[in-house]
Amino acid sequence: FGGDGGTYDIGFQSLSGAMERGHDIVYICYDNGAYMNTGIQRSSATPQFADTTTSPAGSVIPGKIQWRKDLTAIMAAHNVPYVAQVAPSHFNDLITKVQKAIAVDGPAFINAMAPCPRGWRYDTREGIEMTRLAVETCYWPLYEVEDGQWKLTYKPREKKPLTEWIKKQGRFRHLFTDENKELLEQFQQRVDEEWEKLLRRCGEM
């Protein structure tokens, strides 16, 4: 188990090595999108435009400039037996994938969205709702890659606009201003593009 900082960044070298060597392990990443327990610094998992202590939204930059690293796809590129992305809001999907990961012979990787009320700046009671909206807006799609076969495990009946997720988070408050309207549109466009790319990979288009 590791956070996104220790998985996407600091520990990526050893994680990649373990996957490539084929060790029989299950690695689960708790992805809350920043180095939350050391001061809310940006990591490569931090969403674009998120306000953190090292990517502060202001007159110089509008939050983190770069798009988040797609670590789940990077792990799939290691050609390991099982890779999946999960969210606690969809717990049946999560449980099924963990069972699959444990059962495979060889390395398995699971990327789990883990909301952080302090870093995301939302009402603590809405933690599960935060992950549900991330899935329903397709910012955090649920899928698995089993022996190289990509499969979408949940497809929203009606894809919600990204604003439904980010409007509840203080780290994106600066995007809801007239001067940052284009950034909000850019954010939505990138989410749409990544979703369509995933649909093609999974044979859904």
Side-chain angles (χ1 to χ4, degrees):
F1 293 88
D4 58 275
T7 304
Y8 283 66
D9 301 331
I10 298 169
F12 179 75
Q13 177 185 16
S14 56
L15 172 62
S16 177
M19 293 288 147
E20 186 275 331
R21 288 189 297 271
H23 293 299
D24 188 17
I25 61 172
V26 177
Y27 190 104
I28 298 178
C29 175
Y30 284 170
D31 188 339
N32 54 30
Y35 292 86
M36 295 301 185
N37 64 350
T38 59
I40 315 177
Q41 300 92 346
R42 55 90 79 198
S43 77
S44 60
T46 303
Q48 190 174 30
F49 305 128
D51 175 56
T52 74
T53 55
T54 52
S55 63
S59 58
V60 178
I61 58 171
K64 185 190 172 202
I65 299 171
Q66 301 82 5
W67 187 255
R68 65 181 295 276
K69 182 191 290 183
D70 189 353
L71 185 63
T72 310
I74 292 171
M75 289 295 103
H78 285 68
N79 298 313
V80 297
Y82 191 76
V83 171
Q85 197 156 277
V86 302
S89 52
H90 296 67
F91 60 89
N92 284 331
D93 178 80
L94 187 157
I95 291 169
T96 299
K97 288 172 178 173
V98 170
Q99 290 173 333
K100 283 187 175 183
I102 292 171
V104 301
D105 182 17
F109 175 84
I110 293 179
N111 207 0
M113 174 166 274
C116 175
R118 182 170 174 81
W120 294 17
R121 302 201 292 278
Y122 67 86
D123 188 329
T124 304
R125 295 171 296 179
E126 295 194 72
I128 294 298
E129 177 69 1
M130 287 294 100
T131 63
R132 187 186 69 79
L133 287 172
V135 173
E136 296 292 337
T137 59
C138 298
Y139 174 80
W140 189 264
L142 304 181
Y143 65 95
E144 62 185 4
V145 185
E146 193 168 7
D147 293 323
Q149 298 298 310
W150 289 65
K151 179 185 177 183
L152 196 68
T153 59
Y154 177 79
K155 189 174 184 179
R157 292 181 180 177
E158 182 179 349
K159 182 171 175 285
K160 294 182 181 295
L162 183 65
T163 52
E164 292 297 300
W165 181 54
I166 66 175
K167 70 182 180 181
K168 293 176 174 284
Q169 303 174 53
R171 62 178 176 165
F172 295 115
R173 186 175 295 124
H174 58 286
L175 294 180
F176 295 89
T177 59
D178 290 339
E179 60 266 30
N180 286 332
K181 183 179 179 181
E182 290 185 7
L183 298 180
L184 198 57
E185 294 172 352
Q186 181 182 328
F187 200 174
Q188 179 67 70
Q189 181 180 349
R190 182 62 185 268
V191 168
D192 293 342
E193 290 172 356
E194 293 296 324
W195 173 242
E196 290 175 6
K197 184 192 301 183
L198 178 62
L199 290 177
R200 287 193 294 270
R201 274 179 163 171
C202 296
E204 296 279 340
M205 289 184 69

